[in-house]
Each structure stands twice: as structure tokens, then as C-alpha cells.
């Protein structure tokens, strides 16, 4: 069963990718949707067996790498953490596959798209079921490759190609750190197997290694390198710039990759490696600080974006920051709980946005929308559900997980915990504001594009049914699983899949924080919604007036804190200049000039001079023979005796 969960999407990707021309559009859709839906149903069975039945297991498939002391097996680690991730990955992937049947109805390359979706699903499943670091790295790079293919699916668009390359290159920076971390793990522990490394981690705490002239803490160094990989994959500052540009891909791609699966890989990795991070206090503080800043930073940018998908993309970036600072204060179960609930309501918002874009004939600018609630009522209600969950309104899924994160940060009772609580609370206000700014600009007020408005229509059932499935998760995931995943008996649910050191008491104390801390996130959400209502319903002149009076700040936020411009000035342009210098000067003039081009040019020049000797006149040849005979006789008399 467990092997089927992982490999069915791969089989479907191969069949649709290689034989899509013979199967046709509908055949490819049936194969891929059927395989992923089957994997999702089996994942639910596995969840009950592993989590409820307390039967975690490891499925050994085969020996993968045997080189001296390095022995790496290909095995599936099916524990409680994996079971939760299987639910997230396969359920969201299944609804996205079905949704894509309707959304991509007019695309001429449906088999290729469905094959890419299934390939991505397989790579993500390999990542979450990995039993060692190298196997995880295989899945890690697999989702990077599949995301490149999906983001650049519409390759006729230069913007899509640029976005795909940007995502690939920025992730390479983080992945290089992740690879160094894996090398370091093998150097320190002599193994890359999770069980071996995690068991030996307490004995490695506090030990150092000598590097250049410094004695460096082993565990902090390894965890920081691993976290660098997580920063790239999960779009944390400063490796976040690829995520908004990735919205150039089709909307189902945004929902699958950038809401529920690929971008949460970093959070999953930190939780999986909790036995290591618990022995690295400095690295944990870095995780919390980076996550807290990212949560606030991304929320500020989301305030002023006008592309409906980019608003949700920055929301994703912000919510990932919440997950990381929860993990940074040792509340790993809370971080994964928010990952779990976030998957449903964020995928709902992305697919709901896709329904809006479908209704508006691929228009994505919210300034050209308005009044759509009367045209697409079902999408309107479903987007409200997703936004209520995102804003943390009682009693939707986000209310339970986001509140638990903020309470955990407060309960940490540390400097970085207080910083995370402040940043998280500020981000909660901004999140509620931009969520309802999206709702009000899109669905309320007067239509701004009457042509598109008159032609707007509700999406077909094949697109709406997946939204209802996700809406059920956005409503129920919190209230059903909050007690099990983050309650006082959280260890019964997670077993040994997540480790929290005995001296870290956050999971025991966050339930007992003061009442004002529990109410603060709800108050923040209400405040954000009220301000959005005032600015976009009551008095629509306010936003333009604020932007005009604070133009430098507005430009600063609209241009995303100028990170792209900074990177372009500091990294991209110097790299281009260096590349051009090495290409024209090094490769062209030096290597080719002195090498093959120089040799060939010399041969040609000599040949041309020799050719000049062939005149065709007999007396020239006779004279040359006479000179030759004279030279021979001279040589004979000079050295012949």
C-alpha cells in the first residue's frame, strides 16, 4: 500500500507524458486523476493505520548506494509526521488534478500539463517519505525540477520562462547550503540515515570542529546549512524573490506548488530534523527570527499588490514565516498543524482566484474587477470561507493554528519569542486587511470592466467540486485536529516522529498564556477587516489619498522593498559583466585565440604562403632545383667528411 501511494503518481506521469498522444486529452486526464485520487484515498487509510492505530513502519525497497562505509538504502519512512504530509500532498494534489480538467480545457497541451502535475506529486511524496538525507535530497531536487517545468509551462511567454529560471536559480542557492549540510552530517556522524543521526545528536551537542582559525559548533553549523535549504524552498527572506514571480504559471500550479506542497518542504524538513535542531539553540533562534521577519515583511507587500494571485502569493510567504517561527521556539507540532490547515484554505483561495480569473477571461488585475458577487455567487462564498480561515476568524481552521503559533511565541518567554509574537501580531492585522481588500475589490463595488463583467460566468462543476472539498477542510481541519495535534497529549498523536527537548516547555505552557494573548489574534483580525471595509466600501477615496500622501512608502511596498532591484545591482549585473568578460576575453581571445582558432589561423597563413610557390613556370622550378642542389652540395662539403 505504501509503495502504491508513492509510485502511482510516477506511473501516471510516465504514461501521460510518453503516451499522451495516443491516449488523448481525456485519457491522460483520467489516468493522472485516477492515480492521484487513489493515492489520496490510500493516504487516508495510512493515516488511520499509522496515527490512530499507532503502527508506524519503514518499508525497505532496495539498497541504493554502497560505496565503502557509505551505505544508503531506498526506504519509505511512514510515521506520524509522514502520514500527515501524505494527507496534505495527495488530497491537495488530487483536487488540483480534477480542477485542472476544467481550468485547462482550452489549452492544447493537456497531457503534458497533467504529466508534470503527477511528476511533481511523486517528487514531493519521495521527499516526505525519505528515510535518509540523500533520499530527501532526491525528492528536494525533484520538486525543484518539476516546479521549473510547471512555472514555465506556457513557454511562449518570456515572463514565464524568466520566472521559471529565477525560481530554479534562487533555489540553487538554498540547495547548495542543504547539500553542504548533508556532507557535514556524514562527516560528523558517519551516516546519513535519519535514525542513526538523530540517535547520536544529543552526544554531539556542544562539540566543535576547527575551521580555519575558529572552533565552530557542529550542530549549529549543520542546522544552519540545512535551514539555508529550507529558506530557499520555503521562500524566506532573503531567498523569497522567486515566489511572487512563480505566479506566471497556470493557477492550478500556484495552488499545488505555492500553497500546500513545495513551499512547505522546508517546514517539514525542520520538523523532521527536530532532534538535531533541539541541540542547536543558536540555529533555532535564527529560524525563529527569519520566520518572524518574513511573516511581517511579506504581509506589508501584500497590502498594495493589485494582481489577485500575487496578493495570495505574498500571503503564502507570510504564513510560511509563521510556521518557521513556531518551529524556532520548539513548537514543531504547532508549525505542522498550521501547515496542515494552511494547505486547505490557501489552496482554496488560489483555486478560487482561478475561478475568478476564469470568469473574467484571464484578467488578474483586481482594479479591473468589482461587483462580481452577483455573477459568481458560489465562488464568492468559497472565497469568503478561505479568507475567514486565513484571517484566523473563529471557528475556522486558521483560528486554531494561527492562535496556537502566536501563543507559543509568547510562551517561549525569550527575546526572539517576543520579537516573533510582535511581528506575528502585526502580520495578523495586515493579513486580515489585504484579505478583505481582495474580497472587496474583486466582488463588491461597481464593475470597472463592463465588457468582462457582462461576460462573467460561474465555473463548471469540475472546478467547483474541488473548491467545496477544500472549503470543508478550511472549516473542519482546525476544530477536528487541534486537540490531537497540539493539545496536552500531543505526544500520543506524533509519537517519536517529532522530538522536543525536556528543557523546552513551550508545548506544555502555551495553553496557559494570559487571556489577552488568546484574544489578541482575533482582535487583530477584526481590526484588519474593519479598516479594509472602511477604505474599500465606506469611503473609496481613502486608499488613493493615502498612497498620494505617502508616495515614497507606497512605492517602497509596491516595489517589494526593492529586493529585486538590489539583487539586480549587486549580483545579476556583476555576474553578467563577469560572464561576458570570461566569454569574450577569456574564452574568445585567450583560449580560442591561442588554442584551436590560433592554430588553425596559423596553418592557413602558412599554407597560403606555400601555395604562392606553385607558379606553374618551368624556370621557377628549375631555379628551385638548382638552389636545392647547391644547398645539398654545400651541406655535404661542410659536414659530410
Amino acid at each position: 500500500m505504501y509503495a502504491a501511494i508513492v509510485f502511482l503518481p510516477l506511473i501516471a506521469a510516465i504514461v501521460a507524458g510518453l503516451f499522451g498522444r495516443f491516449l488523448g486529452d481525456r485519457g491522460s486526464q483520467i489516468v493522472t486523476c485516477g492515480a492521484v485520487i487513489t493515492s489520496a484515498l490510500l493516504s487516508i487509510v495510512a493515516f488511520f493505520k499509522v496515527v490512530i492505530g499507532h503502527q508506524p513502519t519503514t518499508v525497505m525497497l532496495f539498497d541504493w548506494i554502497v560505496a565503502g562505509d557509505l551505505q544508503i538504502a531506498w526506504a519509505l519512512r511512514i510515521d506520524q509526521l509522514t502520514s500527515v504530509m501524505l494527507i496534505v500532498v495527495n488530497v491537495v494534489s488530487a483536487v488540483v488534478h480534477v480542477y485542472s480538467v476544467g481550468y485547462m480545457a482550452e489549452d492544447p497541451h493537456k497531457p503534458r500539463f497533467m504529466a508534470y502535475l503527477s511528476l511533481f506529486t511523486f517528487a514531493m511524496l519521495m521527499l516526505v517519505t525519505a528515510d535518509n538525507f540523500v533520499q530527501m535530497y532526491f525528492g528536494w531536487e525533484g520538486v525543484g525540477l518539476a516546479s521549473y517545468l510547471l512555472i514555465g509551462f506556457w513557454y511562449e511567454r518570456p515572463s514565464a520562462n524568466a520566472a521559471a529560471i529565477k525560481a530554479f536559480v534562487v533555489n540553487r542557492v538554498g540547495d547548495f547550503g542543504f547539500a553542504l549540510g548533508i556532507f557535514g552530517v556524514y562527516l560528523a556522524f558517519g551516516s546519513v540515515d535519519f535514525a542513526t543521526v538523530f540517535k547520536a545528536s544529543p552526544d554531539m551537542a556542544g562539540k566543535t570542529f576547527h575551521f580555519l582559525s575558529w572552533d565552530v559548533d557542529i550542530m549549529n553549523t549543520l542546522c544552519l546549512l540545512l535551514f539555508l535549504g529550507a529558506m530557499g524552498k520555503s521562500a524566506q527572506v532573503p531567498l523569497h524573490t522567486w515566489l511572487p514571480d512563480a505566479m506566471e504559471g497556470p493557477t492550478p500550479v500556484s495552488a499545488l506548488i505555492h500553497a500546500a506542497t513545495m513551499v512547505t518542504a522546508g517546514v517539514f524538513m525542520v520538523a523532521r530534523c527536530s532532534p538535531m535542531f533541539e541541540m542547536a539553540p543558536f540555529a533555532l533562534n535564527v529560524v525563529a527570527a527569519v520566520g518572524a521577519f518574513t511573516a511581517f515583511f511579506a504581509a506589508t507587500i501584500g497590502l498594495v499588490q493589485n494582481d489577485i494571485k500575487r496578493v495570495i502569493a505574498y500571503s503564502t510567504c507570510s504564513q510560511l514565516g509563521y510556521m518557521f517561527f513556531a518551529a524556532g521556539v520548539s513548537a514543531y507540532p504547532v508549525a505542522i498543524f498550521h501547515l496542515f490547515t494552511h494547505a486547505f484554505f490557501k489552496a482554496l483561495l488560489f483555486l478560487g482566484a482561478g475561478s475568478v480569473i476564469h470568469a473574467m477571461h484571464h484578467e488578474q488585475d483586481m482594479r479591473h474587477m468589482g461587483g462580481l458577487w452577483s455573477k459568481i455567487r458560489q465562488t464568492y462564498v468559497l472565497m469568503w470561507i478561505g479568507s475567514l480561515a486565513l484571517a484566523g476568524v473563529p471557528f475556522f481552521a486558521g483560528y486554531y493554528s494561527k492562535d496556537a503559533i502566536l501563543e507559543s511565541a509568547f510562551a517561549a518567554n525569550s527575546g526572539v519569542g517576543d520579537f516573533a509574537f510582535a511581528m506575528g501580531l502585526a502580520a495578523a492585522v495586515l493579513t486580515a486587511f489585504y484579505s478583505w481588500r481582495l474580497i472587496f475589490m474583486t466582488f463588491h463595488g461597481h464593475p470597472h470592466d463592463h465588457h468582462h463583467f457582462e461576460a462573467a460566468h460561474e465555473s463548471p462543476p469540475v472546478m467547483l467540486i474541488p473548491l467545496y472539498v477544500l472549503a470543508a477542510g478550511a472549516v473542519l481541519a482546525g476544530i477536528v485536529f487541534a486537540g490531537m495535534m497540539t493539545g496536552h497529549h500531543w505526544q500520543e498523536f506524533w509519537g517519536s516522529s517529532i522530538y522536543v527537548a525536556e528543557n523546552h516547555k513551550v508545548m506544555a505552557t502555551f495553553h496557559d498564556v494570559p487571556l489577552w494573548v488568546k484574544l489578541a489574534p482575533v482582535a487583530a483580525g477584526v481590526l484588519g477587516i474593519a479598516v479594509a471595509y472602511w477604505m474599500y466600501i465606506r469611503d473609496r477615496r481613502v486608499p488613493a489619498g493615502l498612497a498620494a500622501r505617502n508616495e515614497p512608502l507606497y512605492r517602497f511596498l509596491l516595489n517589494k522593498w526593492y529586493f529585486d532591484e538590489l539583487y539586480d545591482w549587486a549580483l545579476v549585473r556583476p555576474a553578467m559583466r563577469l560572464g561576458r568578460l570570461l566569454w569574450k576575453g577569456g574564452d574568445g581571445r585567450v583560449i580560442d585565440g591561442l588554442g584551436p582558432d590560433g592554430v588553425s589561423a596559423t596553418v592557413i597563413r602558412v599554407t597560403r604562403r606555400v601555395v604562392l610557390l606553385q607558379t606553374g613556370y618551368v624556370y621557377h622550378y628549375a631555379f628551385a632545383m638548382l638552389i636545392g642542389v647547391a644547398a645539398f652540395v654545400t651541406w655535404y662539403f661542410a659536414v659530410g667528411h
Side-chain angles (χ1 to χ4, degrees):
M1 176 179 72
Y2 300 119
I5 292 173
V6 175
F7 289 103
L8 276 176
L10 175 63
I11 295 170
I14 293 172
V15 171
L18 297 182
F19 307 106
R21 185 172 299 176
F22 303 101
L23 292 173
D25 294 346
R26 186 63 67 201
S28 300
Q29 291 167 343
I30 291 172
V31 168
T32 52
C33 290
V36 177
I37 290 172
T38 303
S39 287
L41 295 175
L42 291 175
S43 297
I44 296 172
V45 175
F47 178 84
F48 280 97
K49 187 174 182 179
V50 173
V51 177
I52 308 302
H54 303 287
Q55 298 180 40
T57 185
T58 299
V59 180
M60 186 65 64
L61 298 180
F62 53 85
D63 289 329
W64 185 20
I65 300 173
V66 179
D69 295 333
L70 178 62
Q71 296 185 354
I72 301 174
W74 196 292
L76 306 180
R77 184 186 182 96
I78 312 294
D79 57 12
Q80 291 86 343
L81 180 58
T82 302
S83 298
V84 171
M85 292 303 297
L86 289 178
I87 292 284
V88 170
V89 173
N90 278 321
V91 170
V92 173
S93 181
V95 298
V96 167
H97 273 72
V98 175
Y99 180 92
S100 299
V101 173
Y103 190 86
M104 304 295 287
E106 298 176 3
D107 194 274
H109 305 293
K110 300 182 193 67
R112 178 165 62 91
F113 182 74
M114 302 303 290
Y116 287 170
L117 284 182
S118 294
L119 178 64
F120 173 86
T121 305
F122 163 72
M124 192 66 200
L125 292 172
M126 283 306 315
L127 193 159
V128 301
T129 58
D131 191 46
N132 57 70
F133 282 101
V134 176
Q135 191 178 335
M136 178 182 277
Y137 194 74
F138 171 82
W140 197 271
E141 293 302 308
V143 295
L145 169 64
S147 68
Y148 169 81
L149 296 173
L150 286 166
I151 294 168
F153 178 76
W154 286 323
Y155 55 85
E156 302 91 347
R157 301 180 182 178
S159 58
N161 290 325
I165 293 172
K166 186 176 183 180
F168 199 78
V169 171
V170 173
N171 271 279
R172 294 290 71 71
V173 177
D175 294 352
F176 180 66
F178 190 31
L180 288 178
I182 296 173
F183 297 152
V185 166
Y186 182 71
L187 181 66
F189 295 94
S191 174
V192 292
D193 180 69
F194 286 151
T196 304
V197 173
F198 296 163
K199 184 178 180 180
S201 291
D203 296 330
M204 197 64 67
K207 292 185 179 180
T208 61
F209 68 93
H210 194 72
F211 178 73
L212 297 179
S213 59
W214 298 286
D215 288 321
V216 184
D217 185 274
I218 293 176
M219 294 305 296
N220 278 312
T221 303
L222 295 180
C223 289
L224 286 174
L225 289 171
L226 295 175
F227 179 58
L228 183 60
M231 289 170 64
K233 200 66 74 184
S234 296
Q236 298 296 285
V237 176
L239 301 180
H240 66 285
T241 52
W242 66 270
L243 184 64
D245 290 23
M247 297 302 107
E248 290 292 336
T251 300
V253 174
S254 304
L256 179 62
I257 295 180
H258 310 118
T261 51
M262 174 177 155
V263 291
T264 61
V267 181
F268 165 79
M269 188 267 285
V270 172
R272 172 63 81 204
C273 297
S274 55
M276 296 179 65
F277 278 86
E278 286 296 278
M279 303 301 136
F282 177 75
L284 272 183
N285 287 338
V286 171
V287 172
V290 169
F293 179 73
T294 302
F296 175 75
F297 159 81
T300 62
I301 299 176
L303 296 174
V304 297
Q305 298 300 307
N306 295 310
D307 185 302
I308 188 171
K309 286 172 64 177
R310 281 181 178 262
V311 174
I312 305 173
Y314 278 107
S315 168
T316 299
C317 190
S318 180
Q319 296 305 305
L320 290 165
Y322 275 97
M323 298 175 206
F324 274 113
F325 78 68
V329 297
S330 296
Y332 308 99
V334 175
I336 298 299
F337 179 44
H338 192 53
L339 185 158
F340 179 71
T341 61
H342 174 265
F344 293 106
F345 61 74
K346 188 53 61 67
L348 172 61
L349 286 171
F350 266 118
L351 296 186
S355 183
V356 172
I357 295 167
H358 182 266
M360 292 291 290
H361 301 278
H362 303 288
E363 176 61 66
Q364 295 183 198
D365 194 325
M366 296 186 297
R367 292 171 296 184
H368 299 159
M369 301 179 188
L372 285 175
W373 74 271
S374 61
K375 288 284 189 176
I376 47 176
R377 294 176 184 269
Q378 294 183 70
T379 300
Y380 172 61
V381 172
L382 292 163
M383 288 288 283
W384 260 89
I385 292 173
S387 298
L388 288 168
L390 173 61
V393 174
F395 292 87
F396 292 83
Y399 163 74
Y400 296 93
S401 55
K402 186 185 286 188
D403 279 24
I405 288 176
L406 292 171
E407 291 164 14
S408 300
F410 183 87
N413 197 26
S414 63
V416 72
D418 293 340
F419 172 71
F421 178 75
M423 290 290 99
L425 199 58
V429 178
L430 302 180
T431 299
F433 174 83
Y434 64 64
S435 296
W436 262 262
R437 174 177 177 267
L438 184 153
I439 292 288
F440 295 145
M441 289 183 69
T442 303
F443 295 102
H444 292 270
H446 301 292
H448 293 91
D449 187 327
H450 290 279
H451 173 70
H452 282 159
F453 176 79
E454 294 300 329
H457 56 86
E458 189 60 272
S459 299
V462 73
M463 292 173 63
L464 289 176
I465 291 173
L467 294 181
Y468 280 107
V469 173
L470 294 170
V475 174
L476 300 175
I479 195 169
V480 172
F481 292 100
M484 289 187 282
M485 289 189 177
T486 62
H488 290 290
H489 303 290
W490 62 271
Q491 288 172 310
E492 294 181 7
F493 181 91
W494 295 105
S496 61
S497 65
I498 290 178
Y499 172 77
V500 179
E502 292 183 2
N503 60 317
H504 293 160
K505 306 292 186 181
V506 171
M507 288 304 299
T509 59
F510 86 86
H511 300 283
D512 303 319
V513 296
L515 180 61
W516 72 267
V517 177
K518 295 178 179 290
L519 296 178
V522 178
V526 172
L527 175 62
I529 295 171
V531 173
Y533 177 79
W534 170 56
M535 292 177 64
Y536 291 94
I537 297 295
R538 297 287 294 176
D539 191 349
R540 295 177 178 272
R541 297 169 299 176
V542 172
L546 277 175
R549 289 193 298 272
N550 302 278
E551 186 173 359
L553 177 60
Y554 175 73
R555 290 292 172 190
F556 180 70
L557 297 180
L558 189 64
N559 288 287
K560 304 161 287 189
W561 290 39
Y562 292 102
F563 266 94
D564 283 305
E565 289 78 3
L566 175 63
Y567 288 169
D568 185 63
W569 172 78
L571 299 173
V572 176
R573 292 183 186 178
M576 293 290 287
R577 286 195 292 268
L578 177 61
R580 191 170 288 109
L581 174 65
L582 294 176
W583 168 37
K584 294 291 189 181
D587 188 52
R589 294 177 185 172
V590 178
I591 297 176
D592 288 344
L594 298 179
D597 290 350
V599 171
S600 62
T602 301
V603 170
I604 290 172
R605 285 196 299 271
V606 172
T607 303
R608 284 173 178 169
R609 285 175 171 80
V610 171
V611 166
L612 294 176
L613 298 175
Q614 306 298 321
T615 63
Y617 294 105
V618 174
Y619 60 86
H620 283 172
Y621 302 147
F623 179 74
M625 292 171 64
L626 180 62
I627 294 296
V629 169
F632 177 75
V633 170
T634 302
W635 175 82
Y636 178 78
F637 281 107
V639 300
H641 294 290

